[in-house]
Amino acid sequence: MNKTSKVEVNQDGTQRGLTNLAVQMIAFGGSIGTGLFLGAGSTIHRTGPSILLVYAVIGSFFFLMMRAIGEMLYADPNQHTFVAFIHRYLGSGLGKFAEWSYWLELILAAMAELTAIAAYFQLWFPNLPAWLIQLVFLVALTLINLAVVSFFGKAEIILSGIKIITILGLIVVGGWLILTHHQGISGDRAAVSNLTANFSVFPNGIAQFIFAFPMVFFAFQGMEFVGITTAETKQPRKILPRAINQIIGRILFFYIGSLAVIMMVSPWQRISASQSPFVQIFELAGIPAAAMLINLVVIVAAASTLNSAIFSTGRHLYQLALESHSAHMKPLRKISTSGIPIVSVLVSATLMLGSPILSLFNQLTSAFTFVASVSGDIYILVCILTMVAHWKFRHSPASRQIAFRMPAYRITEPLTICFLLVYFLVKHHAGRQLGRLFGRWVLVVI
């Protein structure tokens, strides 16, 4: 124990400086991003009020996956990444594939956030080069990550806090518009009945409902960052269960609550698919410069996700270095005097420079679409392997006497794995008939 700072220092030199609030905010930072603030109109336009069902279903499966990850980390809280359990329980071959693939997925996801930051920042400064914007944000957030882990946690609390305040602001403002029956978009009055009138699960057909799943699934990515903070969290066996049990409910509240309010303020058919619903609601309330406000929040949201990604990639690469016997990986094990795996963080951040380089040769939208698509495929495969590893874990001696368990894992785990497999097939448009077949199967399973 470090008596001066009262922060527990691990044997490898890393420090347990993250609080319960910081851990939850890191999860918020990873999972509540630009998709909600900008993409909500598109998801609502696709399938109407039943989009709330899509969020609830996917959120439930993410909760089950987080409980599986939490159980393994509860048994061994010294791991710097949950992906290490794939190596332990499924063998070195799949383990190395998953570990390197997930690290690459995080790099690509960070690059996607950098391209998004540049695109939104250029709305204010259109003549500023995208590569320069990306470089400034990347350097600034990397420096935050090189400070003590508690400082990183405080930075993430601030960044994620801005997003949460904005969502709560929308819910409060929208609630006021509903209570006063404010005249909304296209002359419609705000009312709860806008959400329930002429309700249909498939207003635009079952295909649109099914293909809303990939859009919503992408929004939940990053929640698993909780499973990369454990080795640097204070009292992990106390904080980890609390953080996992609380985070899913709060994220679902923010997602479902904000979308429900949006569709109460105006019938979902009137909501623009091309403009942020947050902007539309704040403009209805007479808030000046609503578009500028949301653009600022979107930049903060992307920066928050990028901040968490830099943290995660550094710890993940450090874990890979610990498991490797290669002399080339040994420098990546270096820990700074402030308890940070400094070389692993710097190497990961350096690879993210691919984003500003990419922006020199492609349009920002093309770059964002490319990196998001590739990272999404890797992510799903790692999720499936993680669940299989947990199944093996539950049949090993290490799972005995564990107080934090995945509920009814013999049923919920195969169900989650099947859901992830079906989602992967649907995401890749595996033929129209196959998509319909698996889509119906998803509904039956749900």
Side-chain angles (χ1 to χ4, degrees), residues 170-181:
L170 172 93
I171 293 174
V172 171
V173 169
W176 174 76
L177 294 175
I178 295 166
L179 289 174
T180 58
H181 297 288

Side-chain angles (χ1 to χ4, degrees), residues 177 180-185 187-194 264-267:
L177 294 175
T180 58
H181 297 288
H182 193 280
Q183 185 170 336
I185 303 168
D188 299 288
R189 293 287 179 180
V192 175
S193 59
N194 288 333
M264 290 178 192
V265 171
S266 176

Side-chain angles (χ1 to χ4, degrees), residues 128-168:
L128 205 59
W131 67 266
L132 180 59
I133 298 171
Q134 294 173 355
L135 186 62
V136 170
F137 272 86
L138 180 59
V139 170
L141 294 176
T142 300
L143 290 175
I144 290 176
N145 273 270
L146 293 178
V148 292
V149 70
S150 59
F151 180 73
F152 160 79
K154 292 174 182 177
E156 195 54 39
I157 288 173
I158 294 172
L159 292 173
S160 293
I162 292 173
K163 294 188 292 185
I164 290 172
I165 290 171
T166 303
I167 297 172
L168 290 176

Side-chain angles (χ1 to χ4, degrees), residues 5 29 85 94 118 136 141 174 180 186 217 256 259 262 272 283 309 370 376 386 397 408 419:
S5 61
F85 295 106
L94 285 175
V136 170
L141 294 176
T180 58
S186 302
F217 190 95
I256 293 178
L259 293 178
I262 288 169
S272 172
E283 285 180 344
F370 169 74
T386 300
F419 175 80

